[in-house]
Amino acid sequence: MEQDVKLTKLAKCAGCGAKVGAGVLAQLLEDIKVHHDPKLLVGFDKSDDASVYQLSEDLALVQTVDFFPPIADDPYLFGQIAATNALSDVYAMGGEPKLCLNIMAIPADMQKEAVHQLLKGGYDKVYEAGALITGGHSILDEEPKYGLAVTGFVHPDRVLTNSGAKPGDVLLLTKPLGIGVLTTAARADMVSDESMELAYRLMTTLNRTARDAMVKYRVHACTDVTGFGLLGHAFEMAQGSDVELEIAVDGIDFIPEALELARMGILPEGMYRNRTFAEPGVDAGDTELCKQDILYDPQTAGGLLMAVDPADADTLLEELKGCVPSAQCIGTVREYQGGKRIFLR
């Protein structure tokens, strides 16, 4: 359909690049205490991807919410990306999404057909995940925004958090990096059609198959790499697990054009927020600056970062190669020695 107005031009920032920085968020939450409930297995005090509440001996509820301003001009595509991103948090906990609620803000003069296509994009992706949209809430706003509140289920003994990594674990990642750089460049028409097609394909690829593969193996920790970038989310994993991570930069799949743009200084604002948060805990070694920048680059609907038992890592990696966009072995988990938490090699 033809668009009179480009959706991305209505937003000050795009996708997960609009997230409040992790450091700022921690300060905003620091004096708020979670009420004790033995059935609350994971709450917001854990800096994890979703909350988990035990309902019975063999069933726990996983809940999350995610929404953001447009990251694509096509409303149907924007709806797909926002839904993919919101569903990802449940997959990162090892759960299966079941029920979703729309969250939407739209300008009063936004075309009816554009709104319809936005919602259809979300519906189609949710149904692909095997879940249902059962309602939602919408408001008027000058800047369009869309996302989902998602409820899923997981066995209480099989919940995956970002704080269970153990020394010796192998770090696996399931999508390439550079989405934030590409979408930033796209706002200035500085990126190729081929790279944006790749970006859109990655951002609409559910982490469902990655989740389905990893739950067969001994995965000790997992998080999805989204708004805080790989190093932001890895830093939270290292802190929460009280370990340190050695990351092999040469093992990471960087989107080639994103690297070129990063060398030119085309970087999202969120990258700087992520660097401010995580850089004090990172020993960058001699890693090229543009690669460091992409390691802090906010990803929208990024892949899963898993800390896998070394006895299962090779087998899981081989299985992932057949079902995810880019199965990568990117490092190992070590005992914490004090000082820095992440070492780039």
Side-chain angles (χ1 to χ4, degrees):
M1 60 173 288
E2 293 185 3
Q3 292 298 304
D4 295 329
V5 178
K6 289 189 174 183
L7 291 182
T8 56
K9 302 300 184 184
L10 299 177
K12 296 179 180 179
C13 49
C16 283
K19 287 181 72 170
V20 174
V24 174
L25 187 59
Q27 293 174 7
L28 294 173
L29 294 171
E30 63 183 355
D31 292 329
I32 301 176
K33 303 300 182 183
V34 176
H35 287 199
H36 176 70
D37 186 329
K39 293 185 178 180
L40 182 62
L41 305 182
V42 182
F44 73 77
D45 56 324
K46 304 294 186 182
S47 298
D48 221 314
D49 297 302
S51 64
V52 182
Y53 189 87
Q54 186 169 351
L55 299 177
S56 66
E57 289 185 1
D58 58 1
L59 186 66
L61 195 71
V62 185
Q63 289 190 311
T64 186
V65 60
D66 212 312
F67 69 103
F68 48 59
I71 196 167
D73 290 318
D74 181 272
Y76 179 78
L77 180 59
F78 171 39
Q80 285 190 303
I81 293 170
T84 300
N85 186 74
L87 291 160
S88 183
D89 285 340
V90 174
Y91 291 131
M93 306 298 290
E96 295 182 80
K98 291 298 180 184
L99 300 174
C100 302
L101 297 171
N102 284 317
I103 299 170
M104 183 173 68
I106 54 171
D109 59 354
M110 188 169 175
Q111 296 174 1
K112 180 180 178 180
E113 179 59 21
V115 178
H116 173 77
Q117 287 297 316
L118 189 161
L119 291 170
K120 186 175 186 299
Y123 272 76
D124 286 351
K125 193 54 63 172
V126 166
Y127 294 153
E128 181 185 331
L132 298 170
I133 290 182
T134 59
H137 185 68
S138 59
I139 63 170
L140 296 177
D141 192 354
E142 293 181 0
E143 182 177 277
K145 303 173 185 70
Y146 178 67
L148 300 170
V150 185
T151 297
F153 299 104
V154 67
H155 192 287
D157 296 336
R158 297 171 189 160
V159 176
L160 292 174
T161 71
N162 66 357
S163 57
K166 300 179 180 180
D169 283 350
V170 177
L171 298 173
L172 303 183
L173 182 63
T174 65
K175 288 185 183 181
L177 301 180
I179 293 294
V181 171
L182 292 181
T183 54
T184 298
R187 291 164 66 87
D189 298 320
M190 295 180 65
V191 62
S192 69
D193 291 341
E194 292 76 14
S195 287
M196 284 313 300
E197 288 173 4
L198 170 62
Y200 293 143
R201 187 163 64 250
L202 292 171
M203 289 188 287
T204 55
T205 298
L206 294 172
N207 282 325
R208 181 181 186 176
T209 54
R211 178 266 176 201
D212 290 349
M214 76 175 178
V215 295
K216 303 174 188 176
Y217 301 92
R218 286 169 290 182
V219 175
H220 297 141
C222 183
T223 186
D224 60 337
V225 177
T226 53
F228 300 154
L230 175 64
L231 288 183
H233 289 286
F235 184 60
E236 287 188 332
M237 179 181 286
Q239 283 186 314
S241 306
D242 195 24
V243 295
E244 61 185 43
L245 311 180
E246 180 173 321
I247 294 180
V249 178
D250 289 343
I252 296 173
D253 185 4
F254 296 97
I255 299 172
E257 190 166 352
L259 272 179
E260 296 173 13
L261 291 163
R263 287 194 181 99
M264 296 166 56
I266 309 300
L267 300 166
E269 182 180 349
M271 188 283 297
Y272 296 99
R273 292 195 295 269
N274 294 338
R275 184 184 281 276
T276 297
F277 164 63
E279 190 174 40
V282 177
D283 181 339
D286 59 358
T287 302
E288 187 179 359
L289 180 59
C290 67
K291 291 185 177 180
Q292 291 184 48
D293 289 338
I294 294 184
L295 293 175
Y296 291 109
D297 181 39
Q299 306 300 288
T300 298
L304 298 184
L305 174 64
M306 312 168 188
V308 187
D309 189 292
D312 287 351
D314 288 343
T315 307
L316 175 54
L317 180 63
E318 285 304 310
E319 183 167 346
L320 289 171
K321 286 180 179 179
C323 65
V324 302
S326 178
Q328 309 151 62
C329 178
I330 67 164
T332 55
V333 179
R334 308 187 306 206
E335 289 188 9
Y336 184 49
Q337 302 298 318
K340 304 292 186 179
R341 290 280 185 183
I342 296 177
F343 298 83
L344 304 184
R345 298 291 183 254

